[in-house]
Amino acid sequence: MTADDSPAADTDSPADVAVEPATPDDRLDILRVLDAAMLETDADTVADRIAAGDALVARSTRTGGVVGALVATRPDPARLHVDAVAVRRSRRGRGIGSALVAAAVRRGESDSHVDRVTSGFDAELSRFYEGVGFSVDDDADEGRRVGRRRV
């Protein structure tokens, strides 16, 4: 995804939120959102994914503040993996997480090397990932699931 095909104007996003590629200035806000959701992602990984264009933020159109974040990794050239996605507690249940994942899928679709987007998550998130078009399978770890979506 380039700045030109940024999902900021995407109709999948809630009306008061713009989903867009993260900038280096967003790094601390991303870490705070992920930390509040008790997701472990180190600062160097976040900085690297921002530089690669594989980190997204959901930004309030009213305040400009980051209300959600997604960090994707590249375990291999053909796969974009949603490593972490989180939304501030006060903004959950409004479609922001779905908009972030949809933007990551579009990121994968825009990269000719990527043929699938994946994610690993707790079982209680299966319906969320199925709702955004992922097929969901059991993982080897008890209580974990793996979601896959071809792009």
Side-chain angles (χ1 to χ4, degrees):
M1 179 180 331
T2 65
D4 294 334
D5 61 2
S6 166
D10 180 20
T11 57
D12 291 340
S13 297
D16 62 340
V17 172
V19 175
E20 57 195 34
T23 67
D25 290 340
D26 294 323
R27 186 179 64 84
L28 184 57
D29 288 326
I30 291 170
L31 290 167
R32 287 178 176 156
V33 168
L34 298 178
D35 184 56
M38 296 189 292
L39 298 174
E40 291 185 32
T41 302
D42 79 25
D44 291 338
T45 298
V46 171
D48 178 61
R49 299 295 75 213
I50 290 170
D54 292 335
L56 303 168
V57 293
R59 192 178 307 282
S60 167
T61 57
R62 186 175 56 81
T63 66
V66 172
V67 298
L70 181 144
V71 177
T73 59
R74 303 280 181 131
D76 59 68
R79 182 165 56 120
L80 183 66
H81 180 78
V82 176
D83 187 57
V85 60
V87 175
R88 291 197 185 277
R89 183 177 306 278
S90 65
R91 301 297 296 266
R92 291 180 189 160
R94 299 180 188 180
I96 296 169
S98 296
L100 284 161
V101 174
V105 168
R106 285 191 302 280
R107 172 83 172 116
E109 290 170 339
S110 71
D111 185 328
S112 62
H113 299 298
V114 173
D115 65 12
R116 67 196 177 286
V117 179
T118 62
S119 186
F121 46 87
D122 291 334
E124 65 265 11
L125 294 173
S126 293
R127 287 180 48 150
F128 169 80
Y129 277 95
E130 289 169 342
V132 292
F134 283 67
S135 62
V136 175
D137 300 316
D138 289 338
D139 193 354
D141 296 330
E142 187 175 318
R144 298 285 294 169
R145 300 291 186 266
V146 175
R148 294 176 185 83
R149 181 166 169 175
R150 289 244 174 248
V151 294

